């Protein structure tokens, strides 16, 4: 069986619905993938889309409830270590699960995969974030029991999940027992030899349970193992009525046991409110009291009212971020699914960010990467800028940790952000493809610069942004040098670019080009602050001991940055010596040997001209105005055939790059790999969690790619076209408080200013100005 056939077998099958993900029945083969896809979150709390019922023994089912930014800090053990290696890993923990309901009818338990079901369907409504399920169970005692469940993770109340569980008897008569509560003892996952997986068990995460029951609210507090940090969980039930109820504690489970009888046509509905919090263990008493009060308040408000306020948050999101695609329901479903999960998982309070897998699974241990700044932040900048700001504020909050890492790496000044982290420290134990990726500093800077340019929020620089930009810029001056052998050019040696199949290189094109952008913008900001707000400028300089000489050196380094270029081929070289390496033998590489990182020693890969993901092509996409069209075409033609796309960060960038140079067929081909990456489980590892960067990449493919959207030098511009076979697509962008609607169809592109004052932009080089409510249709 080929790799593609294996992936197809592990992919659930869904009806092509534009707003819903609908799954019928129960699939043993794809259960863990479905649990990822049906996950619900709000940026703080996330829970996998597992069934409320037990699952047949032997079926791959992975439970998981997570709190974004709450992690276990564990020592990294090396058989051979060296100075400066990362010392500790941050691992997103499992917290008590409150979704499970154990239903028995006349002593028989409802078990997915074993029990006789006449029908079953689950539906995740992306418009509202509501997960609904209906099951028709035929117990051995006769008749049928209908189970109906609605649940959501509240977008309006970060720590809250609400579940409505209903039973209806269709001919069944007899005793029913329903159990539900909190489970702090469920199992987890293991890596199985795949470094992208997460190894997790709740028993390794939490310790020292302290329980308290007040006014029918059951609270359980745990310490995070090896720390003084508390995780609190609580729940209460509504609708118990006259049913016989007992409370029990068994091991690491706190449960309500409800016994009652059902006759033909009888029904019963229970509402369960589950809440979470975290904080210093020293605040345990106050945290518990607040959480118990929050649960009581939720119960007083009721399920439907809570759902209404939750829906309003989603309505606001879609009003700014929706993309409508008239190219078949599968495309529409895939694009909306991606935007839905991005919004669900992104941190929104400045204290937590967006992990590579969001809050859908334990892959990569829940770590944050540079994916956030380069792939996800642009989506939020142009749709929900307050979320983009929160993600940048998280980086500001970890500046001190970045300064510590810089000192460890022998930099006397500045801040060096980690390749993978949660709490701010470097967590990568493999430094060539981890710490070596200094371009993370440029990614954070790029996102900050883009945020201010698009939103006009100059106050960001005064609220920690300038300090972030300046401290990260300092690293380049200490890392690089003016090289006489390169004609006095500024060179950066021994770094790894985005392409992890070429490590520890000199003058990586992407790194040098992004560092150049970073240094130029940092120097320009310093000059601007000095001229416009000298008191703010003086304060920042005093805070980090910055002087005029440093700003001058930044400008000088940017001006003289070495960007390796091969005159013979007319392409930018990925790094010094890259073109001297032998070619990878793609023709004789078996399909099952991809991704290469799981089948070849790193040194074998490093010795060849083979890319995991775009490097030069990523640079020319992000810094579009710095490269000529001819160079872009030649770079693309050279590097794409040598790229394996083993990373899901890859195909969206090639979609944008091909669209920019006019290869519409290839652009569409690469886009096809983005919008259903997880729904179709195209990389065969969605059970670990979704691929957040690829999800954001589907947005980039459409806006940066098909619509040719760019924002440079303060001007928004478009060069849109309609992909072959499509009837049209629509999206919105928000720039400096103005929301612009863009509708692309065969007859032309219609622009409409949906909110804000007069707004000017460019269409295919033509200047356009619209007032509020005005629209204009233009052709190329």
């Amino acid at each position: 069986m080929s790799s593609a056939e294996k992936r197809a077998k592990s992919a659930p099958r869904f009806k092509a619905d534009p707003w819903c993900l609908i799954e019928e029945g129960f699939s043993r083969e794809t259960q863990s993938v479905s649990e990822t896809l049906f996950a619900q979150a709000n940026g703080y709390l996330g829970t996998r889309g597992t069934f409320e019922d037990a699952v047949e023994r032997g079926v791959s089912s992975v439970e998981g409830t997570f709190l974004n930014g709450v992690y276990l800090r564990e020592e990294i053990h090396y058989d051979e270590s060296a100075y400066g290696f990362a010392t500790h890993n941050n691992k997103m923990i499992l917290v008590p699960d409150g979704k499970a309901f154990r239903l028995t009818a006349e002593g028989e338990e409802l078990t997915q995969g074993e029990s006789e079901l006449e029908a079953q369907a689950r539906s995740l409504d992306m418009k509202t974030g509501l997960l609904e399920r209906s099951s028709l169970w035929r117990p051995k005692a006769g008749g049928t029991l209908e189970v109906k469940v609605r649940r959501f993770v509240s977008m309006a109340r970060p720590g809250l999940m609400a579940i409505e569980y209903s039973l209806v008897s269709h001919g069944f008569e007899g005793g029913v027992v329903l159990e539900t509560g909190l489970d702090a003892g469920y199992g987890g996952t293991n890596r199985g030899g795949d470094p992208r997986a997460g190894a997790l068990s709740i028993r390794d995460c939490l310790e020292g349970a302290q329980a308290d029951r007040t006014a029918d609210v059951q609270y359980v507090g745990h310490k995070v193992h090896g720390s003084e940090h508390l995780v609190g969980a609580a729940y209460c039930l509504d609708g118990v009525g006259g049913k016989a109820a007992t409370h029990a504690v068994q091991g690491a489970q706190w449960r309500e046991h409800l016994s009652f009888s059902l006759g033909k046509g009888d029904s019963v509905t229970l509402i369960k409110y589950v809440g979470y919090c975290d904080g210093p263990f020293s605040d345990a008493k106050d945290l518990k009291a607040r959480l118990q009060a929050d649960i009581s308040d939720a119960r007083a408000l009721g399920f439907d009212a809570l759902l209404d306020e939750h829906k309003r948050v989603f309505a606001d999101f879609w009003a700014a971020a929706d993309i409508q695609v008239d190219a078949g329901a599968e495309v529409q479903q895939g694009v909306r699914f991606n935007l839905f999960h991005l919004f669900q998982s992104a941190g929104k309070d400045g204290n937590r960010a967006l992990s590579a897998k969001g809050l859908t699974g334990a892959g990569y241990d829940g770590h944050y990467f540079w994916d956030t700044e380069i792939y996800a932040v642009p989506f939020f900048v142009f749709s929900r800028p307050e979320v983009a700001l929160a993600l940048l504020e998280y980086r500001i909050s970890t500046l001190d940790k970045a300064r510590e890492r810089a000192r460890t790496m022998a930099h006397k000044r500045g801040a060096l952000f980690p390749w993978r982290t949660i709490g701010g420290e470097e967590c990568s134990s493999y430094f060539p493809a981890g710490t070596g990726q200094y371009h993370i500093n440029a990614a954070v800077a790029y996102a900050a610069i883009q945020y201010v340019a698009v939103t006009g929020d100059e106050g960001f620089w005064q609220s920690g942004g300038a300090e972030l930009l300046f401290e990260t810029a300092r690293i380049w001056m200490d890392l690089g040098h003016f090289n006489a052998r390169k004609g006095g050019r500024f060179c950066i040696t021994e770094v790894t670019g985005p392409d992890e199949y070429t490590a520890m290189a000199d003058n990586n094109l992407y790194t040098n080009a992004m560092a150049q952008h970073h240094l130029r913008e940092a120097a320009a900001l310093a000059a601007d602050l000095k001229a416009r707000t000298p008191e703010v400028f003086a304060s920042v300089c005093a805070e980090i001991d910055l002087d005029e000489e440093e700003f001058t050196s930044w400008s000088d380094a940017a001006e003289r940055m070495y960007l390796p270029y091969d005159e013979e081929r007319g392409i930018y070289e990925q790094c010094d010596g890259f073109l001297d390496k032998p070619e990878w033998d793609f023709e004789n590489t078996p399909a099952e040997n991809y991704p290469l990182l799981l089948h070849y020693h790193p040194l074998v890969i490093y010795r060849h001209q083979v890319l995991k993901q775009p490097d030069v092509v990523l640079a020319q996409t992000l810094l579009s105005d710095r490269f000529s069209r001819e160079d872009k075409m030649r770079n693309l033609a050279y590097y794409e055939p040598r790229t394996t796309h083993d990373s899901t960060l890859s195909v969206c960038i090639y979609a944008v790059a091909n669209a920019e140079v006019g290869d519409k067929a290839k652009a569409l081909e690469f886009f096809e790999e983005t919008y259903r990456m997880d729904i179709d489980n195209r990389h065969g590892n969605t059970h670990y969690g979704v691929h957040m960067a690829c999800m954001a990449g589907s947005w980039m493919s459409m806006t940066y790619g098909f619509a040719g959207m760019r924002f440079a030098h303060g001007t928004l511009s478009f060069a849109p076209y309609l992909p072959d076979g499509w009837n049209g697509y629509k999206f919105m962008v928000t720039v400096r408080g103005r929301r612009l609607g863009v509708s692309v169809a065969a007859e032309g592109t219609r622009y409409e200013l949906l909110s804000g004052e007069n707004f000017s932009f460019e269409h295919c080089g033509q200047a356009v100005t619209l007032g509020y409510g005005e629209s204009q249709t233009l052709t190329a």
Side-chain angles (χ1 to χ4, degrees), residues 155-174:
M155 277 290 180
R157 301 174 183 236
L160 180 69
M161 174 170 60
I163 306 169
E164 179 188 74
Y165 191 101
S166 299
L167 282 176
V168 181
S169 171
H170 299 287
F172 171 84
E173 292 182 292

Side-chain angles (χ1 to χ4, degrees), residues 138-371:
R138 183 175 290 279
K140 292 182 175 64
T144 303
L145 281 173
E146 182 178 12
V147 179
K148 291 184 175 182
V149 184
R150 297 193 297 165
R151 77 182 189 220
F152 66 94
V153 172
S154 175
M155 277 290 180
R157 301 174 183 236
L160 180 69
M161 174 170 60
I163 306 169
E164 179 188 74
Y165 191 101
S166 299
L167 282 176
V168 181
S169 171
H170 299 287
F172 171 84
E173 292 182 292
V176 173
V177 175
L178 195 58
E179 291 181 294
T180 189
L182 286 173
D183 182 359
Y186 61 93
T189 60
N190 60 65
R191 295 190 189 279
D194 189 338
R196 300 165 298 178
L200 205 59
S201 169
I202 195 170
R203 291 177 292 276
D204 299 328
C205 298
L206 302 177
E207 61 185 32
Q210 295 185 358
D212 178 69
R213 191 173 179 83
T214 303
D216 295 326
V217 176
Q218 177 64 55
Y219 169 85
V220 183
H222 290 87
K223 272 188 177 182
V224 177
H225 181 70
S227 78
E228 291 298 316
H229 199 82
L230 172 87
V231 168
Y235 73 90
C236 73
L237 299 181
D238 201 8
V240 176
K243 293 173 280 294
T246 59
H247 177 70
V249 179
Q250 182 178 355
Q253 295 181 333
W254 290 260
R255 295 183 294 182
E256 309 294 321
H257 183 103
L258 307 174
S259 301
F260 47 94
S261 295
L262 286 179
K264 295 179 181 179
D266 288 348
S267 64
V268 63
T269 296
L270 292 178
I271 309 294
K272 184 177 183 182
Y273 304 97
V274 188
Y276 297 88
C277 67
D278 76 283
F281 191 78
S282 57
D283 294 341
K285 185 176 180 180
D286 289 341
L287 289 167
K288 178 184 73 172
R290 286 200 297 271
L291 182 54
Q292 288 176 323
D294 288 345
I295 293 294
S296 295
D297 289 346
R299 178 171 58 181
L301 193 58
F303 185 93
D304 288 334
L306 292 168
L307 180 57
D308 285 343
E309 65 178 22
H310 163 79
K311 286 181 176 179
R312 286 194 291 271
V313 178
F314 262 113
D316 288 343
F317 167 71
W318 289 116
D322 189 25
I323 293 183
Q324 299 176 47
V325 188
D326 187 357
E330 286 195 348
V331 182
Q332 182 66 84
Q333 181 184 47
V335 170
R336 282 192 174 130
F337 179 79
N338 293 344
L339 305 185
F340 168 78
H341 269 294
L342 282 165
F343 184 54
Q344 277 203 133
S345 283
K348 299 172 180 67
D349 62 1
N351 297 316
R352 57 207 91 239
L354 176 65
S355 78
K357 300 295 184 183
L359 293 170
T360 68
Y364 289 118
D365 289 336
H367 288 162
Y368 311 141
F369 291 77
W370 65 289
D371 311 10

Side-chain angles (χ1 to χ4, degrees), residues 736-753:
R736 304 197 175 195
R738 300 166 178 87
R739 185 173 299 164
L740 181 70
V742 183
S743 302
V744 183
E747 60 271 18
T749 302
R750 181 176 182 268
Y751 299 96
E752 181 180 6
L753 190 59

Side-chain angles (χ1 to χ4, degrees), residues 396 399 448 459-472 525:
I396 292 172
L399 256 176
F460 171 77
W461 298 128
Q462 301 178 31
S463 302
E467 188 175 339
L468 175 138
L469 197 67
F470 295 160
E471 283 284 74
T472 50
L525 176 63

